[in-house]
């Protein structure tokens, strides 16, 4: 296999699966506090696509539960994921690009978000628990408390080799992540293969 035409920086990995055709739908995923919203918004701006903040679509009961430090169950997340999957399906049907920030911690959550679309790419932001906990502690305007960091890591199922994913260490500057992801998504080499 040939090397990537865009050499990944340390902490940047590309999968070995076929890239989707047309504008892509990007789900920026990872545990709370990894930077999904800021990276997602910047990437959407760079791509000229709509950005959807997944947290804004949690029902009040979920927000209440998380605010109290109670982890969500699969059943709690089901309706929320269905809502986000609906936005993704609409963009897919209309041939639009889209960027969604969503934790997408488990494989079955990612499968639900993807639905039947071949245009969904996951951008996984990851880092060690201590770093994420320090970021969570610095946040003041979010309902997710630090008490849920452990449950987020417990739920996280790392993307498998057959999932279309770009993976970035959160120690990298957000601008570097966005620049590299933008280049891969628009240059025909988002999956680490020569175009």
């Amino acid at each position: 296999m040939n090397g990537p035409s865009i050499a990944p920086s340390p902490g940047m990995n590309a999968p070995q699966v076929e890239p989707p055709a047309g504008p892509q739908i990007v789900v920026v995923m990872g545990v709370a506090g990894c930077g999904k919203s800021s990276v997602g918004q910047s990437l959407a701006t760079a791509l000229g696509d709509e950005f959807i903040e997944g947290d804004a679509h949690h029902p009040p009961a979920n927000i209440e539960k998380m605010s109290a430090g109670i982890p969500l169950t699969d059943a709690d997340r089901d309706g929320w994921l269905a809502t986000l999957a609906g936005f993704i399906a609409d963009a897919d049907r209309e041939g639009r690009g889209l960027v969604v920030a969503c934790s997408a911690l488990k494989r079955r959550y990612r499968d639900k978000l993807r639905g039947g679309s071949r245009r969904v790419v996951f951008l996984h932001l990851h880092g060690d628990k201590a770093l994420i906990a320090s970021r969570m502690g610095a946040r003041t305007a979010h309902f997710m408390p630090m008490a849920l960091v452990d449950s987020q890591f417990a739920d996280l199922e790392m993307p498998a080799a057959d999932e279309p994913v770009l993976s970035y260490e959160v120690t990298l500057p957000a601008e570097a992540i966005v620049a590299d992801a933008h280049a891969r998504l628009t240059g025909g080499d988002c999956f680490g293969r020569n175009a």
Side-chain angles (χ1 to χ4, degrees):
M1 177 194 265
N2 293 328
S5 60
I6 301 170
S9 300
M12 299 180 180
N13 302 303
Q16 307 306 318
V17 293
E18 282 299 310
Q24 283 147 5
I25 297 166
V26 183
V27 177
V28 183
M29 62 164 286
V31 298
C34 69
K36 295 184 295 293
S37 299
S38 54
V39 168
Q41 202 147 30
S42 295
L43 181 60
T45 299
L47 292 168
D49 291 333
E50 179 188 1
F51 173 70
I52 292 177
E53 172 54 71
D55 283 344
H57 297 278
H58 270 298
N62 282 7
I63 294 172
E64 220 172 278
K65 202 168 178 180
M66 288 185 284
S67 297
I70 303 166
L72 297 181
T73 64
D74 288 350
D76 292 328
R77 290 186 174 110
D78 199 47
W80 172 63
L81 289 168
T83 298
L84 300 182
F87 295 135
I88 289 169
D90 289 347
D92 187 51
R93 188 177 59 254
E94 295 162 14
R96 292 185 284 114
L98 178 68
V99 178
V100 180
C102 173
S103 52
L105 298 175
K106 298 182 181 181
R107 171 68 186 250
R108 64 180 168 274
Y109 301 168
R110 296 190 291 273
D111 289 345
K112 182 167 191 162
L113 291 169
R114 187 184 302 113
S117 176
R118 294 177 54 82
R119 296 198 296 118
V120 176
V121 177
F122 293 93
L123 190 160
H124 182 205
L125 300 173
H126 58 91
D128 67 46
K129 195 185 288 187
L131 175 60
I132 297 296
S134 72
R135 286 182 168 204
M136 290 281 285
R139 297 201 308 188
T140 55
H142 198 277
F143 55 78
M144 179 79 78
M146 272 189 63
L148 293 182
V149 172
D150 285 342
S151 71
Q152 291 266 300
F153 276 91
D155 280 350
L156 177 62
E157 295 172 2
M158 297 295 278
D162 66 330
E163 293 183 82
V165 62
L166 296 174
S167 185
Y168 298 92
E169 291 277 356
V170 298
T171 50
L172 292 163
E175 313 81 66
I177 293 172
V178 170
D180 185 80
H182 181 270
R184 291 176 184 276
L185 292 163
T186 60
D189 187 39
C190 70
F191 293 89
R193 301 168 60 235
N194 286 332

